[in-house]
């Protein structure tokens, strides 16, 4: 089934775009394409020369297939600096301290895996974040921390989320993926909802 049709947009400096759709799979497909994890059947996209991207997938299963690895060794796979102190710094930001870093990844909860994925993203220091449902599996305290981090992030954010608060406080532009294309509006999520109401 065709998930995306006539989807075209340009991302500008400082954009924090929330993608919404009645077809959640369409948004995930778009995120996977933009992250280079899936090939589009047609069309193309191009990142600016000065951009670097980090991707947070909706389903992180494939990142944890090597379940016997301790957490610190898991993170080491993604880092050019493999010293324990350096890696602990990133895990510490996600509240993994002391012996937590030696936990095997196959015993981690869903929320802990999400925190691992954020540690991995921070390692890359990218200026574009592609985030597909980043707060699934997180408790309220962690969601608030993610929300605050995204609000203060200085780069570009492409975001899909079920969390109304995050959509409202983070996004300054909304793109709705529809069966026939996309509706692209500057402004907050609530302004977009109001705009849609007025269309009816």
């Amino acid at each position: 089934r065709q998930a995306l049709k006539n989807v075209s947009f340009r991302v500008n400096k400082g954009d924090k775009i929330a993608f919404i759709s009645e077809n959640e799979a369409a948004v995930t497909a778009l995120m996977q394409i933009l992250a280079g994890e899936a090939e589009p059947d047609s069309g193309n996209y191009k990142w600016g020369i000065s951009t670097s991207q980090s991707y947070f997938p909706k389903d992180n299963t494939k990142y944890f297939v090597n379940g016997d690895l301790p957490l610190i060794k898991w993170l080491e796979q993604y880092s050019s600096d493999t010293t324990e102190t350096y890696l602990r710094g990133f895990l510490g930001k996600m509240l993994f301290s002391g012996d937590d870093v030696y936990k095997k990844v196959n015993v981690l909860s869903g929320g802990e895996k999400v925190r691992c994925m954020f540690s991995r993203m921070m390692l890359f220091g990218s200026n574009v974040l592609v985030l597909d449902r980043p707060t699934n599996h997180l408790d309220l305290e962690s969601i608030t921390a993610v929300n605050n981090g995204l609000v203060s992030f200085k780069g570009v954010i492409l975001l899909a989320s079920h969390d109304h608060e995050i959509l409202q406080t983070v996004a300054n532009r909304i793109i709705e993926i529809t069966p026939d294309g996309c509706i692209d509006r500057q402004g907050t999520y609530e302004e977009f909802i109001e705009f849609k109401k007025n269309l009816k």
Side-chain angles (χ1 to χ4, degrees):
R1 293 207 331 266
Q2 187 172 16
L4 302 165
K5 183 180 175 186
N6 300 329
V7 174
S8 177
F9 57 90
R10 179 189 177 92
V11 179
N12 306 304
K13 190 175 179 181
D15 273 349
K16 293 185 176 182
I17 305 173
F19 290 91
I20 60 174
S21 179
E22 288 180 9
N23 179 6
E24 203 172 290
V27 175
T28 292
L30 177 64
M31 296 280 187
Q32 288 171 333
I33 289 166
L34 294 177
E37 300 246 326
E39 286 293 320
D41 298 319
S42 62
N44 57 69
Y45 69 96
K46 186 178 178 194
W47 288 106
I49 201 159
S50 61
T51 64
S52 56
Q53 302 81 40
S54 281
Y55 173 52
F56 184 99
K58 181 179 169 186
D59 178 6
N60 59 34
T61 312
K62 74 174 195 175
Y63 293 88
F64 295 97
V65 286
N66 196 345
D68 279 342
L69 279 181
L71 186 42
I72 196 146
K73 287 289 182 191
W74 176 85
L75 191 62
E76 188 183 287
Q77 302 173 98
Y78 303 107
S79 179
S80 51
D81 185 337
T82 56
T83 55
E84 184 164 316
T85 317
Y86 179 74
L87 295 170
R88 269 184 177 275
F90 289 95
L91 291 169
K93 286 176 187 167
M94 285 289 116
L95 308 180
F96 292 110
S97 57
D99 288 343
D100 288 349
V101 302
Y102 303 120
K103 265 186 175 180
K104 298 280 179 73
V105 295
N106 58 6
V107 301
L108 297 176
S109 68
E112 286 173 322
K113 285 180 177 174
V114 166
R115 282 157 46 204
C116 288
M117 293 299 288
F118 277 121
S119 297
R120 173 182 170 274
M121 287 183 86
M122 285 191 285
L123 263 181
F124 300 146
S126 303
N127 56 15
V128 179
L129 303 183
V130 181
L131 303 160
D132 193 1
R133 326 282 165 189
T135 55
N136 289 5
H137 309 296
L138 290 181
D139 59 31
L140 191 58
E141 189 182 0
S142 303
I143 290 171
T144 303
V146 169
N147 196 341
N148 293 341
L150 295 180
V151 168
S152 58
F153 182 68
K154 297 287 186 275
V156 166
I157 294 176
L158 307 179
L159 168 73
S161 177
H162 293 300
D163 190 301
H164 184 111
E165 181 73 11
I166 282 186
L167 293 177
Q168 175 59 21
T169 55
V170 174
N172 57 20
R173 180 177 167 193
I174 311 293
I175 295 180
E176 180 179 8
I177 308 289
T178 74
D180 299 311
C182 53
I183 302 168
D184 186 346
R185 299 276 299 180
Q186 290 291 138
T188 67
Y189 180 59
E190 283 172 10
E191 285 167 350
F192 185 85
I193 300 298
E194 198 57 37
F195 160 76
K196 287 287 298 246
K197 275 185 197 159
N198 294 333
L199 283 184
K200 289 176 181 171

